Amino acid sequence: MARDLHPWPTTEADAVAVQERLRAEVRVEEPPQVRTAAGLDVAYRDGDDLVAVVTVLDVATLSVVDSAVVRGKAGFPYVPGLFAFREAPPLLDALDRLSVRPDALVCDGQGLAHPRRFGLACHLGVLTDLPSIGVGKTAMGRYEPPGEERGDWSPLSLDGDVVGRALRTQRGVKPVFVSIGHRFTLDAACDLVLRLAPQYRLPETTRTADHLGRVLD
């Protein structure tokens, strides 16, 4: 599923260079119709042991229609801002094992809300050319609290740029932080997240992937 756009680097400098080069490949545009959405999550065990999980949901029913799991070891050290080089390779392996090709990727992490504007959601989106978004639990940047009602949002800014939104998915709960990965607009990304989060703070894509990873622990 992935395009061969770069070898996987082994040094921090080479990884940063890959991000700097590939961020020009990110496209901000209206996505095609999203009927299925994949949740992507990586859980760590002892040390660098990890489990990469992908679940594919029917957006209309929120039922899981496919899933894949890859166990392995992280091949890159823990460096803030370079998580994709630990997590993308096993997640791409998991995507390759699916029988249902998702219309969009929903990453448990960041997209443009990243110091070099190229977080995990951007990286996976560019490598697969699939529409992708990041839905983070914590903010990468500054924001004012959005209104308390479901659907309320406020801009998320980093170094003076708007890189995403703090989105309230449920009344009175903490917001999630939505950013574009690839082939999405912010409006479309937030609309999708709200469709995927009818009851809880986190979208069902994230919840099902996280649950499957825990079951396998």
Side-chain angles (χ1 to χ4, degrees):
M1 181 179 290
R3 297 181 292 170
D4 186 18
L5 296 181
H6 66 79
W8 289 104
T10 57
T11 70
E12 182 174 346
D14 287 345
V16 169
V18 167
Q19 290 181 332
E20 297 280 7
R21 178 170 61 86
L22 290 188
R23 68 181 177 185
E25 301 290 326
V26 172
R27 304 203 308 272
V28 178
E29 61 189 33
E30 288 293 336
Q33 185 175 6
V34 178
R35 297 185 179 89
T36 56
L40 298 91
D41 186 59
V42 175
Y44 291 91
R45 303 298 186 247
D46 296 328
D48 287 333
D49 292 341
L50 57 79
V51 177
V53 180
V54 177
T55 54
V56 182
L57 274 63
D58 181 308
V59 174
T61 65
L62 300 183
S63 58
V64 177
V65 297
D66 199 3
S67 63
V69 177
V70 169
R71 293 179 172 85
K73 285 186 175 293
F76 194 85
Y78 178 90
V79 180
L82 298 177
F83 295 143
F85 297 94
R86 291 171 66 84
E87 301 189 352
L91 286 171
L92 290 168
D93 286 347
L95 286 167
D96 281 340
R97 299 185 188 193
L98 295 173
S99 58
V100 175
R101 180 179 173 86
D103 295 324
L105 307 180
V106 181
C107 299
D108 179 24
Q110 313 294 341
L112 293 179
H114 179 274
R116 285 174 291 280
R117 309 300 185 264
F118 200 74
L120 176 64
C122 297
H123 210 139
L124 289 173
V126 167
L127 290 184
T128 63
D129 203 31
L130 286 171
S132 61
I133 64 174
V135 184
K137 302 181 186 74
T138 57
M140 178 69 74
R142 300 173 62 86
Y143 70 99
E144 295 295 329
E148 290 295 316
E149 298 301 320
R150 170 177 161 84
D152 288 343
W153 60 270
S154 62
L156 177 68
S157 299
L158 183 62
D159 302 325
D161 297 329
V162 174
V163 294
R165 290 178 183 170
L167 176 67
R168 194 85 65 184
T169 53
Q170 300 298 326
R171 187 181 188 280
V173 304
K174 293 188 293 185
V176 296
F177 302 94
V178 181
S179 58
I180 294 166
H182 182 55
R183 298 180 59 198
F184 252 95
T185 65
L186 258 179
D187 283 344
C190 290
D191 287 346
L192 178 60
V193 172
L194 289 172
R195 291 171 67 191
L196 293 170
Q199 188 174 359
Y200 299 102
R201 178 194 179 215
L202 297 177
E204 290 300 305
T205 39
T206 300
R207 286 169 45 81
T208 54
D210 178 74
H211 175 72
L212 181 55
R214 291 177 187 274
V215 168
L216 295 171
D217 195 354

